[in-house]
Amino acid sequence: MSGWVVVLTFLAFTSTAAKPNAGLKTWGRFSKLPYPGDKAFLYDNFPSNFIWAVGTAAYQVEGAFEKDGKGLSIWDTFTRGGNRMATGDVGSDSYHNIHADIRAIRQLGVSHYRFSLSWARIFPNGTRGSYNEVGTNYYRTLIKKLKEIRVQPVVTLYHWDLPDHLQQTFGGWSNPELVEIFKDYADFCFQIFGDDVKYWITIDNPFVVARHGYGTGVVAPGIKNDPDLPFRIGHNLIKAHAAAWHLYDRHYRPRQKGKLSMALASHWIQPSRTRLESLRECQCSLDHVLGWFARPLFTDGDYPPCMKARLGSRLPSFTHEERAQVKGTADFFALSHGATLSFQLINDSLKFGQQEDLDLRMLLYWVNAEYDKPSIFVVQSGWYVLGSTKTEDPKHMYYLKRFIAEALKSIVIDGVNVIGYTAWSLIDGFEWHREYGIRRGLYYVDFNTPEMKREPKTSATFYRNVIHRNGFPELPENRPAQGVFPCRFTWGVSANSIQVETMPSQFTDHSVYLWNISNNGELVKLEGISAPPLHRPTHCADYVSILHQVDRIRQVGVNHFHFSLNWSALVPTGDAAQPNTTLLGYYRCFTRQLQQANITPVVTLWHHTRQRGNLPATLDNTNKWLNRETPQAFADYARLCYRELGAHVKMWITLNEPNDEMVSYQEGHQMLRAHALAWRVYDREFRHAQGGEVSLALHMDWVEPAFSFSRQDVEPAKRVLDFRVGWFAEPIFGSGDYPVAMRSWLRQLNSLDLPVFNEEDRELVKGTYDFFAISHFSTKLVTHAKEDSYTYSAMLEVQHMIDTTWIRSPRPVVPWGLRKALNWVKEHYSDVPVYVMANGVQENQAHFKDSLRVYYLYNYINEALKAYALDGVNLKGYFAYALNDQRDPGFGLYGQVQDEVIVKASLSNYRNIIQHNGFPIQGAAPQQCPSAPQPCLGCSVLVKRPVVGFLTLVGSGVLITLGIIIYYTTKKRKECY
């Protein structure tokens, strides 16, 4: 953090002194924004006049490469050489499908359509003398059709497809003569189309044209081996753009009143360290890609100092006249962002040791700061999916959502003048050096049909909805709820385990000390002398570790504490008749101390973990849960715990999170039997006397359809929930058997892995609950469309993914997922009482001001309130996870530095919510709740030894009566005197 202080001090000085590097403050500014609040999704609208656009490029979609007099472009030639497998000869055949494209544009509801002119279709050999009327009429028709549906054209003069004749004759953009040739081509286009075009792009992405067309040879014309040639190419591209701009400004702007710019693409870069040197390297990386062309146009007509310093004579220089000619030749900042530069087109040599990122918001802020607040039109933005993907493209959809949301924050929060956004692209097409290996269209194109059939993808539906709503307006369900939970609501905190120190802390030191009372009051140890050992039973008060833990739990303000016992330690041999009495006594003391502190213990008998086996050794070594004796051994262990701890424990969890995907169906079957046996032991033998409740706790992260309007995604989401939650829930809370959908799906796969309940087991398991307990931490998205084999479940045929706008740490933070999970329980199992037994987020243990956890708890509890108050879920309690980092690293309300325990900010915030029993309406009368009954500490005697307890009560009554008689007799005698 101290490194940022130095950096920010430097920036505060340089931001006023060195305006050309004003973008350098971007990283420092964003590092100071409140976390995670600034990362939360922003619900708001774009300005009313915001430009919503979609775009294409001629060579990618037009096809008809030799039709109606069109000349060859460098891409027509390039795709026929080397090892290339495909061409854009047909592309999406937009040349013959104007009506289909117009229909798609109209369906989207965009206000603008960006497309490029094929230079070789208008001038087959690149010059006016080869004018092609038919090719020109194609664009006249396209513009006319756009006007008919009230969509404004955004026209690009050059999108990488130089007429091949100019390449072969002049050497392409390496020849300065192309500046005048391009100017003449632009003049023709302004004259023919200009009355209907208000936004012009001269050249698209000159960085790719120069570096990869004439440097690496990755794109057309595929020239390489001259490392200095790209800089000469870039020089000519800038001068060609400037010539076209001045032409338009002098001869066409007064009448046509349009605007003109060059589309500049850029990556984003993050510093690998917080040092100033890293920030300078980031700045230099952007200067070598974006600043290479932006600084001459928007600042001073010259290249960035960083480029000049590092490239020296390799970089051409502008004369004074050329600088004046170039400077200021852009009416708006046309920015391309996203996949264009992400296919290794920005190599490590241009990252200067820093880390590439996709943060559009920071890039917009940098452009705004670096180039003196220009109007920014995002003229290309989006992502891609695999070429095999059809109409379901949720990955592309969520990247679109991310980029649009970042543009909205840039406007609303950062004050950047973003005037428009262009989703790329309208339809699938030929993707340059990736050919047809990827798809970027909002509309799917079936390249195998003669008519190149177009179908809207999920991303098209999403984009249409965003345009229709002009952003992401806040809906009622997005707003925080106000209200309180019911009286006697259970507020708790959970821990996987507690600290166990079975040696009484008070009497471990037998040394003798001399108290130096006359001087400084210190204790001086007398060497060689020790006190005799004390021969008395251990008392609960002897365990200082218990007192400390209970005190920390009490400070949270909860009325319940949930922790797990260690089965393998309590019953090492597996025989419940031979328990570890010392450990059992420790647990007994712990639960008793909790009760004395008015905190109800909630005890888990067995907590499933992937890291270690925690069954008794005899069972662990003999097939674990597959051992048919394990369920009965568990029931015997449960009986021991009920008997020894039941006087203080009124809520029991038999199995905690047994529904792990790593657990086999056979193991799960035995776990269900074990739970049922343990529940019935309590119901028969202990419930009447102890009055407690027993259930199991299931892990239940929410599963959301990636595209909620698609039945094809809704069904996979239901399937995952059946397999993850219904697997254990339905036999207990429902039918006594596994979910019908689960069994039928496995039968469809010819799988016999799922066991069958016999009638005896069905009756054993069904109804063995007193409440429904869940652990909930996060939310996942699923879709049926396979995109990434690493996160694809072949058995369930679902693709797991996340919304890229979600906060992550490391799991996504999605508060509304808890509300949906609670409603799932209600919908499936009606009015069953529900407890959220664990809910928390992992955060850096060094963050004692744990703002992410503060945000997480507030919002998740608020969603729980919505489930209770608005949806009618029978929610009985909520447990934050976890108590401390020592037992549950990264999840704790308490942190620890060596031996010092630190109270984190989240603890105080959670305690405040508990004290108010939720989120009361401001100004409303306080909630009136009856006082909770105090625990009857002597009642345990009546439970465990009813005869002794009865005689104790009778004896106490007799003594009290005798005392009253003696008192009044004595008083009467005094009155007689």
Side-chain angles (χ1 to χ4, degrees), residues 61 178 214 298 317 346 348 372-373 402 410 456 467 487 671 675 711 739 752 871 881 893 905:
V61 300
L178 251 69
Y214 293 85
F298 289 91
S317 58
I346 294 291
D348 289 342
D372 197 22
K373 303 178 180 179
R402 170 182 172 175
S410 186
I467 294 170
C487 294
M671 289 179 184
H675 157 77
R711 180 180 175 83
L752 301 176
D871 307 331
Y881 177 82
L893 300 174

Side-chain angles (χ1 to χ4, degrees), residues 566-580 615-622 627 629 633 637 640:
N566 188 327
W567 181 8
S568 61
L570 267 175
V571 189
T573 64
D575 183 0
Q578 299 176 332
N580 180 337
L615 299 180
T618 52
L619 299 174
D620 203 50
N621 296 331
T622 53
N627 187 335
E629 297 179 4
Y637 157 64
L640 168 70

Side-chain angles (χ1 to χ4, degrees), residues 743-762:
R743 196 174 288 285
S744 62
W745 181 263
L746 290 172
R747 190 181 298 118
Q748 172 187 316
L749 298 177
N750 296 319
S751 172
L752 301 176
D753 290 343
L754 193 64
V756 176
F757 283 102
N758 57 39
E759 194 57 37
E760 180 184 352
D761 282 348
R762 185 192 297 263

Side-chain angles (χ1 to χ4, degrees), residues 269-285:
I269 198 88
Q270 294 284 17
S272 57
R273 296 184 178 183
T274 57
R275 296 176 180 175
L276 180 58
E277 291 78 7
S278 291
L279 294 187
R280 285 173 173 159
E281 293 300 285
C282 287
Q283 182 83 2
C284 200
S285 175

Side-chain angles (χ1 to χ4, degrees), residues 200-218:
W200 290 96
I201 303 294
T202 55
I203 298 166
D204 181 85
N205 203 338
F207 172 85
V208 169
V209 175
R211 183 175 179 85
H212 296 295
Y214 293 85
T216 64
V218 172

Side-chain angles (χ1 to χ4, degrees), residues 572-602:
T573 64
D575 183 0
Q578 299 176 332
N580 180 337
T581 56
T582 303
L583 181 57
L584 194 58
Y586 186 89
Y587 283 133
R588 190 184 300 115
C589 285
F590 188 83
T591 55
R592 178 181 174 83
Q593 291 296 121
L594 282 172
Q595 197 175 38
Q596 288 180 343
N598 293 326
I599 298 168
T600 301
V602 181

Side-chain angles (χ1 to χ4, degrees), residues 22 72 87 111 156 243 253 257 319 387 403 560 572 614 762 766 784-785 903:
L72 293 178
T87 71
S111 59
T156 302
R253 191 192 304 278
K257 302 187 184 307
T319 65
F403 296 146
H560 284 65
N614 49 5
R762 185 192 297 263
K766 184 178 179 181
H784 75 284
V903 176

